[in-house]
């Protein structure tokens, strides 16, 4: 296959034995593709197409508004086990943190829109990177971004550098001891999301801490018992790490820690 074939999405329309779901959104997308493919050069208005492109980029904002209503009116309570996390997973087919990010992103865009900005974040990553800001702080930050960066350089990473100006070299760095293949997977996943490795790891950590099923959110009831479990947990973790299967060992070791919580005093030191 040529590079042109691999780039052109309309080639799929002409494939033999196409299997098409009867779900409305699938059929609508199929019709949209076929309508566009059937048109010739003279049928298109470039100004309208660029408007349509900009309009479609804000689809995540409309989704965020819908999701906010579902969450804040607790419309999910009569579904499944009645939790928002369960509704997100089984009905929306997304993790709760992804839905929350979409809602946060919508909030950022609407604030900027009502502050008079015509240039707005065009995806969830760009918007949610500013989710810690609001009001005048958000407006000043976004104005700084759009006046100093060309449009094609406005990414989640460059926005993060403006929101959190401290460079990595200015921060105290601790290396995590992980196998090479795990490090490569982390870098790949971070790159695919247009995030740095540090931003991606922080995202994972925030999701884990916010999970409704995480025992990390439980309070420590018995401090002496906690200290003893912490000591045992550290010893077990060191033994498990030496066996080579670091990630699965880490997960099992957190379970062994019980509901007392995971200690924050353990550190891993090794270069990637």
């Amino acid at each position: 296959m040529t590079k042109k074939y691999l780039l052109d999405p309309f080639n799929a329309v002409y494939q033999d034995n196409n299997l098409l779901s009867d779900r409305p959104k699938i059929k609508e997308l199929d019709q949209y593709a076929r309508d566009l493919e059937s048109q010739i050069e003279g049928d298109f208005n470039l100004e309208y197409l660029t408007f349509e492109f900009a309009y479609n980029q804000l689809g995540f904002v409309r989704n965020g508004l819908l999701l906010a209503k579902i969450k804040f009116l607790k419309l999910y309570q009569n579904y499944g086990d009645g939790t928002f996390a369960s509704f997100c997973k089984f009905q929306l087919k997304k993790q709760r943190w992804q839905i929350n990010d979409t809602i946060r992103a919508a909030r950022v865009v609407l604030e900027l829109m009502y502050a008079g900005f015509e240039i707005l974040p065009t995806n969830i990553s760009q918007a949610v990177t500013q989710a810690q800001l609001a009001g005048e702080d958000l407006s000043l930050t976004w104005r700084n971004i759009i006046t100093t960066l060309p449009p094609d350089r406005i990414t989640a990473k460059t926005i993060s550098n403006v929101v959190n100006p401290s460079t990595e070299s200015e921060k105290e760095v601790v290396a995590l001891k992980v196998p090479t293949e795990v490090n490569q997977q982390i870098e790949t996943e971070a790159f695919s999301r247009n995030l740095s490795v540090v931003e991606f790891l922080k995202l994972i950590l925030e999701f884990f801490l916010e999970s409704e099923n995480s025992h990390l959110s439980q309070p420590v009831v018995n401090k002496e018992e906690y200290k003893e479990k912490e000591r045992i947990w550290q010893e077990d973790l060191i033994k498990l790490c030496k066996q080579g299967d670091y990630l699965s060992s880490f997960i099992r070791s957190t379970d062994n820690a019980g509901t007392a919580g995971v200690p924050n005093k353990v550190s891993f030191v090794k270069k990637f």
Side-chain angles (χ1 to χ4, degrees):
M1 295 184 182
T2 64
K3 289 183 178 180
K4 182 178 180 181
Y5 176 89
L6 296 175
L7 180 65
D8 188 351
F10 292 104
N11 288 321
V13 173
Y14 301 107
Q15 290 181 161
D16 295 331
N17 301 320
N18 270 341
L19 300 175
L20 191 68
S21 168
D22 60 358
R23 296 183 66 182
K25 66 178 182 179
I26 300 296
K27 296 177 70 174
E28 181 182 356
L29 183 58
D30 169 62
Q31 191 60 52
Y32 184 75
R34 293 181 184 277
D35 287 346
L36 282 177
E37 175 61 0
S38 66
Q39 297 181 54
I40 61 175
E41 183 178 349
D43 295 331
F44 290 106
N45 181 311
L46 184 59
E47 185 175 347
Y48 171 77
L49 291 180
T50 54
F51 167 81
E52 181 82 353
F53 172 76
Y55 177 84
N56 289 337
Q57 283 188 306
L58 294 177
F60 73 94
V61 180
R62 290 184 283 275
N63 281 340
L65 297 175
L66 295 175
L67 294 169
K69 283 297 182 182
I70 292 174
K71 179 172 184 174
F72 299 131
L73 295 179
K74 298 184 177 180
L75 303 179
Y76 55 84
Q77 286 186 318
N78 294 325
Y79 180 86
D81 64 5
T83 65
F84 187 56
S86 176
F87 180 81
C88 293
K89 181 176 181 180
F90 296 107
Q91 187 68 11
L92 302 178
K93 313 302 181 186
K94 300 287 185 180
Q95 292 295 324
R96 185 181 63 164
W97 69 267
Q98 294 174 297
I99 299 302
N100 284 336
D101 270 2
T102 304
I103 296 172
R104 292 188 186 100
R107 192 274 300 170
V108 168
V109 173
L110 252 66
E111 277 208 35
L112 293 174
M113 182 178 74
Y114 289 122
F117 289 96
E118 294 184 356
I119 300 174
L120 299 170
T122 56
N123 57 56
I124 292 176
S125 295
Q126 288 184 11
V128 82
T129 305
Q130 303 171 81
Q132 68 194 71
L133 303 174
E136 186 176 353
D137 288 340
L138 175 61
S139 294
L140 289 174
T141 299
W142 184 244
R143 182 172 290 106
N144 181 29
I145 290 168
I146 63 176
T147 55
T148 59
L149 295 173
D152 62 329
R153 291 288 309 281
I154 298 177
T155 65
K157 186 174 182 179
T158 56
I159 293 172
S160 179
N161 290 337
V162 175
V163 175
N164 303 298
S166 297
T167 63
E168 296 303 319
S169 61
E170 295 173 336
K171 301 177 182 179
E172 183 179 353
V173 177
V174 177
L176 299 179
K177 185 178 181 181
V178 296
T180 302
E181 61 271 22
V182 175
N183 180 50
Q184 292 174 343
Q185 184 178 7
I186 290 173
E187 291 182 341
T188 300
E189 293 295 333
F191 179 78
S192 68
R193 290 164 173 79
N194 201 25
L195 298 172
S196 69
V197 170
V198 173
E199 291 168 340
F200 180 63
L201 291 176
K202 286 174 64 178
L203 186 66
I204 295 175
L205 179 61
E206 290 171 358
F207 163 65
F208 186 64
L209 292 177
E210 290 180 2
S211 172
E212 290 182 353
N213 298 318
S214 174
H215 58 269
L216 293 179
S217 61
Q218 301 300 319
V220 177
V221 178
N222 187 319
K223 292 185 178 180
E224 292 302 319
E225 180 182 358
Y226 170 78
K227 290 180 180 179
E228 177 62 15
K229 287 185 177 182
E230 181 185 46
R231 183 188 63 78
I232 296 173
W233 187 89
Q234 289 178 327
E235 292 176 353
D236 289 345
L237 182 60
I238 292 172
K239 293 177 183 178
L240 289 169
C241 286
K242 290 181 179 179
Q243 295 175 7
D245 190 5
Y246 302 107
L247 288 182
S248 61
S249 298
F250 179 79
I251 295 171
R252 289 196 297 271
S253 61
T254 57
D255 290 337
N256 291 336
T259 59
V262 175
N264 58 9
K265 298 179 181 179
V266 179
S267 62
F268 310 86
V269 180
K270 186 177 179 180
K271 295 182 179 179
F272 283 108

